[in-house]
C-alpha cells in the first residue's frame, strides 16, 4: 500500500521532540466585533461671519494644512458700514480743523487780554472731544475691517477633508459648518456588548483581521457610559489605514478564559480524511482518531485544541516515534 501524504494543519512548526502529556490548558476566549476607523481629531471649519460663500477651494478627500484658506465669505453690508464710518470721520476731521483754528485764535486773543481763560478752555475741550470722536470712529472701522477679514475660512488642523456640506453661492450664518477636517492619525472605535465590558481592561491585547491576516493592537480606552446596551472602546494600532474614515474592520476581543486539551501541531496527521495522534499505552504505541479544533500558539509552539478523542493524562509520542508507528500501519 503506498504511503499516504501527511497533511499539516498549520505551517510547519518545531517537531515534537519528547513525549507530551495531555493536560487542560488555559485558552483565551475571543469575541468578534466590528470596529470603525475614526480620525483622532475631527474638527469642523466654521464660518465666523454671516454672508455669501463666494469661494470654496476644497472638496471631500482633499488634503489640507493647518491654517490653509479653504473658503471665503463676503458680507456686502460691511463695505457699506466702512464707507459710512469713513464719511463720518471726514466730517469730524473738518470740524476738528475748524475747532483747532478757533482754539489758536482764542489763545492769541488771551495773550493780548482780549478774551477770557474760560472761553479758551471751552475751545480746547471742544478740540479734545472731536479728537476722541475721531478715535472712536477709527476703532469702529477697525472692528468692521476685522469682521471682513474673518470671512476667510481656515483649516483648523492638518489632515483630510471628510465632508463639505455647503456649495459655492450658499448664504451662511455665523457658526455654520463649511467643511469637516480629520487629522492627527486614526484609531479604531468599537461598540462592545455590555455583558463583555467587565472582562475588558485598558492595555488588553486586541487582534485585528485585515486582508485575511491578523494584526495586533492595544485597547487604549474603555468609556464608562453605556448606550443602547453597548460600551464604546478605542483601540490603538500602528499603521492603521486612513484612506477611508468610517471603514469597518473585524476585531477580536479577549473576554475570558477556558480550559482545553491541546496537542502540538506536529503530532497530528491526516489519513483517509481523519485526524490521528500517536499515543503511548501500556500495550505499546497506538493510533487515536481525534477531532481537532482551533489552533493556538503557546510559547512559540503551534498547538491544536482537541475537541474529542483524548483525555487528560494521555501521552502523545514524539514525531519521530509516531512516524515509525504510522509506517508499520501502511
Amino acid at each position: 500500500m503506498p504511503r499516504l501524504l501527511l497533511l499539516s494543519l498549520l505551517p510547519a512548526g518545531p517537531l515534537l521532540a519528547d513525549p507530551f502529556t495531555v493536560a487542560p490548558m488555559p485558552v483565551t476566549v475571543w469575541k468578534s466585533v466590528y470596529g470603525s476607523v475614526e480620525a483622532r481629531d475631527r474638527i469642523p471649519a466654521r464660518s465666523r461671519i454671516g454672508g455669501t460663500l463666494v469661494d470654496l477651494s476644497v472638496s471631500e478627500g482633499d488634503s489640507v494644512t493647518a491654517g490653509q484658506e479653504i473658503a471665503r465669505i463676503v458680507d456686502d453690508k460691511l463695505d457699506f458700514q466702512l464707507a459710512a464710518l469713513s464719511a463720518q470721520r471726514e466730517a469730524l476731521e473738518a470740524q476738528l480743523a475748524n475747532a483747532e483754528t478757533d482754539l489758536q485764535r482764542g489763545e492769541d486773543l488771551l495773550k493780548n487780554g482780549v478774551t477770557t481763560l474760560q472761553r479758551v478752555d471751552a475751545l480746547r475741550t471742544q478740540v479734545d472731544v472731536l479728537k476722541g470722536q475721531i478715535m472712536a470712529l477709527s476703532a469702529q472701522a477697525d472692528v468692521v475691517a476685522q469682521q471682513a477679514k474673518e470671512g476667510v475660512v481656515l483649516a483648523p488642523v492638518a489632515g483630510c477633508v471628510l465632508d463639505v456640506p455647503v456649495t459655492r453661492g450658499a448664504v451662511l450664518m455665523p457658526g455654520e459648518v463649511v467643511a469637516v477636517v480629520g487629522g492627527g492619525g486614526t484609531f479604531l472605535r468599537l461598540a462592545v456588548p455590555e455583558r463583555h465590558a467587565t472582562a475588558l481592561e485598558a492595555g488588553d491585547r486586541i487582534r485585528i483581521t485585515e486582508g485575511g491576516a491578523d494584526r495586533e493592537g492595544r485597547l487604549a480606552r474603555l468609556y464608562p457610559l453605556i448606550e443602547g446596551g453597548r460600551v464604546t472602546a478605542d483601540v490603538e494600532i500602528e499603521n492603521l489605514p486612513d484612506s477611508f474614515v468610517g471603514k469597518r474592520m473585524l476585531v477580536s476581543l479577549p473576554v475570558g478564559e477556558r480550559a482545553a486539551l491541546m496537542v502540538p501541531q506536529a503530532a497530528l496527521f491526516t489519513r483517509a480524511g481523519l485526524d490521528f495522534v500517536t499515543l503511548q499505552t501500556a500495550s505499546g504505541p497506538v493510533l487515536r482518531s481525534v477531532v481537532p479544533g482551533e489552533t493556538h500558539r503557546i510559547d512559540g509552539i503551534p498547538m491544536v485544541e482537541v475537541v474529542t478523542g483524548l483525555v487528560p493524562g494521555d501521552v502523545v509520542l514524539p514525531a519521530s516515534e509516531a512516524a515509525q508507528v504510522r509506517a508499520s500501519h501502511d
Side-chain angles (χ1 to χ4, degrees):
M1 179 179 179
R3 184 178 301 276
L4 297 177
L5 294 177
L6 303 182
L7 303 180
S8 174
L9 298 180
L10 286 174
L15 295 178
L16 182 63
D18 299 315
F20 178 82
T21 302
V22 178
M25 293 185 177
V27 176
T28 301
V29 179
W30 299 90
K31 170 66 177 177
S32 295
V33 298
Y34 276 97
S36 61
V37 179
E38 297 290 342
R40 195 176 306 279
D41 300 322
R42 190 167 182 169
I43 305 177
R46 300 181 182 274
S47 61
R48 293 179 287 178
I49 65 171
T52 303
L53 185 64
V54 298
D55 186 25
L56 183 62
S57 58
V58 296
S59 60
E60 291 85 348
D62 290 346
S63 296
V64 295
T65 58
Q68 175 182 336
E69 180 179 338
I70 60 176
R72 187 164 58 90
I73 300 170
V74 172
D75 185 359
D76 294 334
K77 296 190 300 295
L78 298 179
D79 294 334
F80 297 145
Q81 291 179 19
L82 285 174
L85 292 174
S86 178
Q88 293 179 36
R89 178 169 179 168
E90 290 178 359
L92 288 176
E93 287 176 345
Q95 294 179 29
L96 176 62
N98 185 52
E100 288 177 339
T101 301
D102 291 344
L103 176 60
Q104 184 62 44
R105 185 181 299 113
E107 290 176 345
D108 294 340
L109 293 176
L110 181 62
K111 291 178 181 179
N112 297 326
V114 177
T115 188
T116 64
L117 180 61
Q118 181 180 6
R119 173 61 181 169
V120 174
D121 289 341
L123 293 174
R124 186 177 292 110
T125 300
Q126 184 178 2
V127 170
D128 293 339
V129 169
L130 290 173
K131 287 182 178 179
Q133 291 177 349
I134 292 174
M135 292 178 62
L137 286 176
S138 297
Q140 292 181 28
D142 291 340
V143 171
V144 176
Q146 180 61 33
Q147 289 179 340
K149 292 180 181 179
E150 290 178 352
V152 176
V153 181
L154 306 177
V157 294
C160 179
V161 178
L162 303 179
D163 185 27
V164 182
V166 297
T167 59
R168 186 180 288 104
V171 177
L172 303 179
M173 298 295 292
E176 284 197 51
V177 176
V178 177
V180 179
V181 181
T186 54
F187 65 94
L188 275 180
R189 174 152 291 174
L190 313 178
V192 184
E194 61 180 307
R195 65 180 182 274
H196 298 306
T198 56
L200 300 176
E201 292 183 359
D204 285 348
R205 182 173 56 90
I206 307 298
R207 292 190 314 199
I208 298 96
T209 302
E210 181 185 3
D214 287 342
R215 302 174 61 189
E216 187 171 305
R218 181 181 63 85
L219 187 63
R221 180 179 299 178
L222 195 65
Y223 292 87
L225 180 63
I226 297 178
E227 293 182 316
R230 292 185 174 273
V231 177
T232 302
D234 293 342
V235 175
E236 298 283 355
I237 177 174
E238 293 183 359
N239 301 320
L240 186 66
D242 57 359
S243 54
F244 294 100
V245 174
K247 176 183 177 181
R248 301 180 69 197
M249 301 181 68
L250 186 61
V251 179
S252 298
L253 303 174
V255 294
E257 285 189 350
R258 60 181 176 84
L261 298 180
M262 312 283 288
V263 297
Q265 174 264 330
L268 280 164
F269 67 96
T270 302
R271 172 174 293 175
L274 299 177
D275 297 290
F276 293 89
V277 295
T278 306
L279 300 183
Q280 178 65 57
T281 64
S283 58
V286 297
L287 298 182
R288 177 73 60 82
S289 176
V290 296
V291 177
E294 296 182 2
T295 58
H296 307 270
R297 183 170 290 273
I298 300 177
D299 296 332
I301 300 176
M303 306 288 287
V304 179
E305 179 181 350
V306 176
V307 180
T308 61
L310 297 179
V311 295
D314 286 342
V315 178
V316 179
L317 289 179
S320 57
E321 297 182 25
Q324 297 176 6
V325 176
R326 294 196 298 268
S328 65
H329 285 77
D330 288 343

